[in-house]
């Protein structure tokens, strides 16, 4: 599967839809997309990982950097649709205690309103 990281306007912010494996060779595309958004006026980002079958630590790192950048601007980042194997990466590293994981984009958008 070809990798892609496209964004669209969601109900409460920007949704980045990621498809393909998220590894050292593809993570720069996601990192660049997150950086573009966080340097702009975007305050809420939902990263939809429903199309991702594999994610390594570089992908996780890009999400953590994006999360931190948004928090510094009083923003919010959530992850939606992660497969069990991708959720395991979050769990093993305890990043799921920091970045909220949701079953769907709609759930994430609803959850973003709970953050001050």
């Amino acid at each position: 599967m070809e990798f892609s990281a496209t964004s669209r306007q969601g109900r409460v912010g920007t949704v980045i839809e990621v498809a393909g494996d998220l590894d050292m060779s593809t993570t720069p595309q996601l990192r660049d997309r997150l950086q573009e958004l966080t340097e702009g006026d975007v305050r809420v980002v939902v990263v939809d990982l429903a199309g991702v079958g594999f994610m390594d630590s570089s992908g996780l790192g890009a999400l953590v950097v994006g999360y931190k950048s948004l928090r510094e601007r009083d923003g919010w980042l959530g992850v939606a649709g992660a497969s069990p194997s991708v959720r395991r990466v979050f769990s093993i590293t305890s990043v799921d205690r920091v970045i909220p994981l949701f079953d769907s984009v709609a759930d994430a958008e609803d959850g973003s309103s709970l953050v001050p």
Side-chain angles (χ1 to χ4, degrees), residues 33-42 45 65-66 69-70 73:
R33 189 68 198 118
L34 282 166
Q35 185 175 359
E36 286 173 24
L37 294 172
T38 58
E39 288 177 352
D41 59 354
V42 172
V45 174
V65 169
S69 293
L70 283 163
R73 294 166 176 76

Side-chain angles (χ1 to χ4, degrees), residues 24-98:
M24 286 178 51
S25 66
T26 58
T27 292
Q29 293 176 59
L30 175 60
R31 186 179 54 241
D32 291 349
R33 189 68 198 118
L34 282 166
Q35 185 175 359
E36 286 173 24
L37 294 172
T38 58
E39 288 177 352
D41 59 354
V42 172
R43 294 200 43 216
V44 175
V45 174
V46 176
V47 181
D48 183 359
L49 298 180
V52 174
F54 171 81
M55 182 177 76
D56 68 10
S57 61
S58 65
L60 188 66
L63 293 169
V64 169
V65 169
Y67 172 85
K68 287 181 178 180
S69 293
L70 283 163
R71 292 303 299 156
E72 289 170 359
R73 294 166 176 76
D74 294 321
W76 183 87
L77 180 138
V79 171
S83 69
S85 63
V86 171
R87 278 181 177 262
R88 185 165 165 75
V89 174
F90 282 90
S91 177
I92 288 171
T93 59
S94 298
V95 173
D96 60 346
R97 295 181 184 179
V98 178

